[in-house]
Amino acid sequence: MNTGSDKSGEAAVAADEAGAGEAAGERELGSRAPEFVKARRMLHMSWQVGVFVVGLAVVGAGIVMLPLPGPGWLVIFGGMAIWATEFVWAQLVLRWTKHKVTVAAQRALDPKVRRRNIILTTVGLVIIAVLVGIYVWKFGLEMPWKIKDQ
């Protein structure tokens, strides 16, 4: 069958699939180091070590920010993005994470899910308000660490 291409059928299908992935916004996997760095093995390995160390520092800072004030998860994903410039495993993790976030966002916009979330939030707020009311009724507006044994 003539497809109007000089490529064999399998190569043309593979090229079409690769083009479809790039058109969907997915970049090719692998190192994004400059070509002159990739051309020299020792320089490329040093580049990878540097990218790994910088990404590790950023991810470490994000982990520290989880219990402390700061955008912990955002910084962790930033460190993963730094790693993804050089390492395929990080690129795959980021693709998976982006896919899961997209699916969750689409599910959250579903009217049934939104209605359920609004109902659960309302019930939770009512329970908290009742508990706070009971506390204020029993102890007044005193803080728990100042309450004397009664």
Side-chain angles (χ1 to χ4, degrees):
M1 177 171 96
N2 186 0
T3 59
S5 171
D6 292 338
K7 302 175 188 172
S8 68
E10 291 178 37
V13 170
D16 287 343
E17 289 173 358
E22 291 173 13
E26 293 185 9
R27 300 174 87 180
E28 188 177 316
L29 295 176
S31 176
R32 291 186 179 86
E35 290 302 321
F36 74 91
V37 172
K38 288 187 205 176
R40 294 162 183 85
R41 182 161 170 72
M42 287 303 293
L43 185 59
H44 191 228
M45 194 171 297
S46 300
W47 178 275
Q48 286 181 327
V49 168
V51 167
F52 182 79
V53 169
V54 169
L56 186 64
V58 172
V59 168
I63 290 172
V64 168
M65 286 183 199
L66 286 175
L68 299 175
W73 285 110
L74 186 65
V75 174
I76 289 172
F77 289 130
M80 289 296 296
I82 291 171
W83 279 338
T85 63
E86 199 58 37
F87 302 108
V88 173
W89 61 267
Q91 293 168 3
L92 294 174
V93 168
L94 277 181
R95 280 186 185 177
W96 179 82
T97 304
K98 287 178 186 177
H99 172 71
K100 290 296 182 183
V101 167
T102 303
V103 168
Q106 289 172 348
R107 280 188 31 218
L109 294 176
D110 180 27
K112 289 180 182 177
V113 174
R114 289 186 70 196
R115 191 174 318 119
R116 183 199 66 203
N117 289 345
I118 289 171
I119 291 170
L120 288 174
T121 302
T122 304
V123 168
L125 289 174
V126 166
I127 290 171
I128 289 171
V130 166
L131 292 174
V132 168
I134 291 171
Y135 176 86
V136 170
W137 174 67
K138 184 168 180 160
F139 298 109
L141 292 175
E142 248 181 276
M143 291 293 124
W145 50 86
K146 293 184 179 179
I147 294 177
K148 297 178 177 84
D149 292 330
Q150 295 186 4

